[in-house]
Amino acid sequence: MKITYTHELPPNKKADALVIGVYEGMKNLTKEEALQLKNLNFSGKVREVVTLPGTENFKTLIYVGLGKKSELKSDTVRLAAAKGVKSAKKVKAKKVVFELFGMDKLKEKAAKAVAEGIVLGNYQFKKYKSGKEEKFEIEKITVAGEKEYEKEFETGYILAEAANFTRDIVNEPGNVVTPEKLAEIAEEISEEYSFKCKVFKEKDLEKNQMVGILTVGRGSKNPPRFIHITYKPKNPKKRIVLVGKGVTFDSGGLNIKPEQFMKTMKSDKAGACAVLGIMKAIGQLKPDVEVHALIPTVENMPDGKAYRPDDIIVYKNGKSVEIHSTDAEGRLILADALIYGSELEPDVMIDMATLTGACVVALGHYTSGLFTEDDKLATALLKLSSETGEKMWRMPLDEDLKEDIKGTYSDLQNVGKTRYGGAITAALFLRNFVDSKKVKSWAHIDIAGPAFLDKEWKYYSAGASGQPVRTIVEFIVES
Ligand code: BES
Ligand code: ZN
Ligand code: ZN
C-alpha cells in the first residue's frame, strides 16, 4: 500500500472511497447528510462507522465517529482511522482518500495519529494465505491535510511501519524465525541504516561468559545468538541501551508447558522484535542519541542436552543461580544482556520481555508492567504510553519479596518460592544483573500481555501488536 499526503483541500481526485471523520453532533456535515446518517443509527460516537454510496468522485463514502470533540484523544483518532481503512477494505476500494481529522482539537498530534491508525489498522499477517479473496490490499491511500501537519503525519507513518515490522517478525513461527534468522534480520536492517552490528556465535558467547544464553540454548538444534546493534550519531546527547528477550519458541524446556500454554509461544521473541522495530524507526528519524540494541536469543527446548532443574550456573558478574524451572528461561538470558549492557555505561537501560504469565494475571492482556526505581523515568514513560495507547502500569520492585528468589545452594534461584508476585520476583531477579554504578537509570517492561493478542482489539488485529515500539521510539526521540 502506498500512502501520499496532499495539500489539496478539499480533495477532489477521483477515488473508490472517501473517509470522513465526524464528531457527535455532526456539525461538519450538511443537514441532509446528517439526517441520512441518523437514519442509519450513526451519530458520530466513538467506534461508529457507516458506509454510503457516494458521488461521482468517490464511489463510497465512509463516515467514522470521533465522539465528543471536547473528549477527543489521540487513541480515538487512531481507532477512527483504522475503522476507515478496514471499511474501505471491506468494500474492496483500491484507491482511498482520507480527510485528515482531529486537528481542530489535537493539532499535529492528530496528524500523527491518523497516519498510525491507517498503517496499524491496515495490518494483517496473511503471508501464508493462498486465497485471492484474502489477499486483497488497498493500492493507494491519499491523505488530504494542511501543509503544517505533513511532518508529523510522516513521523506517525514511520512509527507505525516500525511497529508493523515488529509484528511481521513476531507472527512468524518458530520453524521460520530461529535465533540465527533473527540475527540475519538484525544484520539486514543494520546494513540498510548503516548501524554497526555484531552477532555473537557460540565461541563469542563463551568468551564473554554469557552462561544464561549458552545454558538455555543448549537444548535446541537451533544454536543461540547474542546480537549487538549500535547507532552512533555525531554528537549524542545521551546513551540508551535497549534489551529485548528473544526466545524464538518457548516450549518450557524439560519443565515442558501444557498444550494450552505452549501454543502462541512463538511470541516469546516479541521483546527482541520490538527492539528491532525501534532500531528501524531510529534509522529513519536519526535522533541525537546513541542507541545500543542488545538481543539475547535462544530456542527453549527439551532434549538430552537441555539444562535441567537443580543445575547451578555462575554469571560473569559473580552471581550464582540455581535452576528451579527451565520455563523461567527469559530472565536467565536477559541477565547476560544486562551485564553486557551495564558495561556500556548508559544513561538509561530499558529491557522489554514477554517475561511472566503472572504479569498477565495482574494486569490483563492489554497493559504492560513497568518496573523502575527512577520516578522521573516512570513518569516520562507512562505519559508517553497514555499518548501512544500502548498501555503501561507501574509495578513495585518490592524489597520484601527479595527473600523469595534467594537460592538454597546459590545466591539466587530463577523462580520465586511461591507463585505470588511472580512478575515482581522476575523483575527483582533481573535487577541483580544491572550494575547500578554503571547504569544511571533502568526500566524493565513486562509485555507478556499486550505483545500478542488472542483477538482483535482497538486498531490491532489478532496476533502480534508491535508494542511497545512507538512508546520507546518517542522516548528516545524526546531524550
Ligand atoms: N514466556 C513465558 C511467559 C509468558 C506467559 C509470556 C504468557 C507470554 C504469555 C515465560 O518464559 C514463562 O514461562 N514464565 C513462567 C515463569 C514461571 C516458571 C516462574 C510463567 O509465567 O509461568
Ligand atoms: Zn518460559
Ligand atoms: Zn519465555
Side-chain angles (χ1 to χ4, degrees):
M1 179 189 63
K2 237 180 80 184
I3 294 196
T4 49
Y5 193 88
T6 169
H7 311 138
E8 188 183 35
L9 286 165
N12 61 8
K13 274 210 192 69
K14 280 191 186 345
D16 300 311
L18 173 67
V19 179
I20 305 151
V22 185
Y23 288 117
E24 260 180 70
M26 302 196 269
K27 286 208 183 92
N28 58 331
L29 304 180
T30 64
K31 271 212 174 104
E32 298 84 72
E33 266 181 311
L35 195 65
Q36 212 179 357
L37 293 180
K38 249 192 196 140
N39 287 337
L40 291 164
N41 280 329
F42 179 94
S43 57
K45 287 202 181 70
V46 180
R47 275 185 280 278
E48 280 181 354
V49 53
V50 73
T51 307
L52 282 181
T55 54
E56 201 191 310
N57 271 355
F58 303 108
K59 272 188 255 161
T60 304
L61 298 175
I62 300 168
Y63 297 88
V64 290
L66 298 170
K68 290 198 177 76
K69 185 174 164 183
S70 59
E71 292 170 8
L72 189 72
K73 292 191 300 251
S74 292
D75 224 32
T76 313
V77 174
R78 268 178 218 113
L79 184 61
K83 292 256 177 211
V85 188
K86 286 179 186 173
S87 295
K89 264 185 167 168
K90 253 185 224 146
V91 299
K92 299 265 187 306
K94 283 189 185 146
K95 290 200 176 72
V96 183
V97 173
F98 270 72
E99 273 183 29
L100 205 59
F101 46 72
M103 314 86 67
D104 48 351
K105 172 85 195 293
L106 302 173
K107 304 256 169 39
E108 61 283 345
K109 276 186 182 164
K112 187 157 76 179
V114 168
E116 291 174 353
I118 291 174
V119 175
L120 295 169
N122 184 52
Y123 180 87
Q124 282 170 296
F125 184 69
K126 47 189 184 184
K127 184 175 165 189
Y128 296 102
K129 297 267 190 197
S130 58
K132 235 195 177 151
E133 268 302 279
E134 285 166 316
K135 284 271 191 194
F136 176 82
E137 284 292 346
I138 296 171
E139 276 163 21
K140 189 174 177 206
I141 294 184
T142 308
V143 179
E146 285 83 2
K147 195 166 185 356
E148 56 182 308
Y149 299 129
E150 184 164 1
K151 184 110 206 327
E152 280 298 288
F153 182 87
E154 271 168 15
T155 306
Y157 178 79
I158 290 171
L159 290 169
E161 281 283 324
N164 284 354
F165 175 76
T166 294
R167 294 164 93 181
D168 265 339
I169 315 171
V170 176
N171 282 326
E172 288 284 359
N175 62 327
V176 177
V177 172
T178 57
E180 280 175 299
K181 179 72 193 176
L182 218 47
E184 251 171 58
I185 298 170
E187 276 165 342
E188 272 164 30
I189 64 165
S190 299
E191 173 85 40
E192 189 174 352
Y193 300 106
S194 312
F195 301 145
K196 219 172 93 189
C197 180
K198 173 142 176 50
V199 175
F200 292 54
K201 300 188 179 170
E202 286 89 333
K203 279 221 173 87
D204 312 291
L205 293 170
E206 271 158 29
K207 220 165 54 200
N208 285 277
Q209 295 176 51
M210 294 185 149
V211 291
I213 300 172
L214 284 164
T215 300
V216 180
R218 247 187 1 240
S220 171
K221 77 170 178 45
N222 297 308
R225 294 287 181 262
F226 177 73
I227 306 162
H228 178 183
I229 308 173
T230 310
Y231 162 73
K232 206 171 194 165
K234 279 246 165 63
N235 296 305
K237 288 187 294 194
K238 271 197 177 153
R239 183 181 299 142
I240 296 181
V241 169
L242 305 173
V243 178
K245 171 178 172 182
V247 177
T248 58
F249 188 75
D250 184 8
S251 71
L254 289 177
N255 293 102
I256 200 158
K257 284 180 185 292
E259 178 185 335
Q260 73 270 33
F261 293 118
M262 198 189 298
K263 191 151 178 318
T264 71
M265 275 304 133
K266 66 173 182 179
S267 68
D268 213 20
K269 59 186 181 304
C273 302
V275 166
L276 291 175
I278 292 164
M279 292 312 284
K280 196 174 166 68
I282 294 302
Q284 294 167 73
L285 296 170
K286 302 186 174 64
D288 296 328
V289 180
E290 184 177 321
V291 186
H292 295 264
L294 309 180
I295 297 175
T297 173
V298 298
E299 185 178 41
N300 188 22
M301 295 295 248
D303 181 73
K305 288 199 203 120
Y307 77 130
R308 39 183 115 49
D310 287 349
D311 282 0
I312 295 178
I313 56 178
V314 183
Y315 280 89
K316 194 181 179 187
N317 71 347
K319 301 229 167 145
S320 57
V321 175
E322 62 203 46
I323 308 304
H324 281 218
S325 168
T326 61
D327 197 12
E329 81 299 337
R331 63 198 76 182
L332 297 175
I333 66 166
L334 288 167
D336 289 327
L338 293 171
I339 293 172
Y340 182 96
S342 298
E343 295 297 322
L344 298 168
E345 304 191 357
D347 295 289
V348 183
M349 178 151 75
I350 302 176
D351 75 74
M352 50 210 84
T354 47
L355 201 62
T356 66
C359 199
V360 193
V361 173
L363 299 174
H365 254 300
Y366 306 119
T367 304
S368 293
L370 171 66
F371 297 81
T372 178
E373 272 150 2
D374 182 343
D375 292 342
K376 255 186 154 165
L377 180 60
T379 307
L381 287 171
L382 291 175
K383 183 160 176 277
L384 286 169
S385 119
S386 74
E387 193 59 47
T388 58
E390 297 180 329
K391 294 195 281 184
M392 290 178 196
W393 193 261
R394 191 171 180 187
M395 300 276 280
L397 282 145
D398 184 356
E399 300 293 333
D400 285 327
L401 285 174
K402 257 166 54 183
E403 181 56 31
D404 243 45
I405 48 165
K406 216 168 161 225
T408 318
Y409 307 103
S410 52
D411 302 333
L412 296 162
Q413 56 185 54
N414 77 332
V415 169
K417 284 171 189 137
T418 72
R419 59 193 185 87
Y420 301 114
I424 301 172
T425 47
L428 287 169
F429 181 93
L430 295 180
R431 194 178 62 176
N432 284 284
F433 302 92
V434 180
D435 187 340
S436 59
K437 287 190 205 76
K438 293 182 173 159
V439 181
K440 287 205 190 99
S441 179
W442 165 66
H444 156 59
I445 308 175
D446 194 331
I447 58 171
F452 197 83
L453 303 164
D454 55 358
K455 55 177 193 287
E456 192 179 332
W457 172 59
K458 293 203 295 195
Y459 27 87
Y460 298 118
S461 47
S465 69
Q467 290 199 37
V469 168
R470 288 181 295 117
T471 306
I472 303 302
V473 175
E474 299 251 26
F475 173 78
I476 294 171
V477 170
E478 267 190 14
S479 286

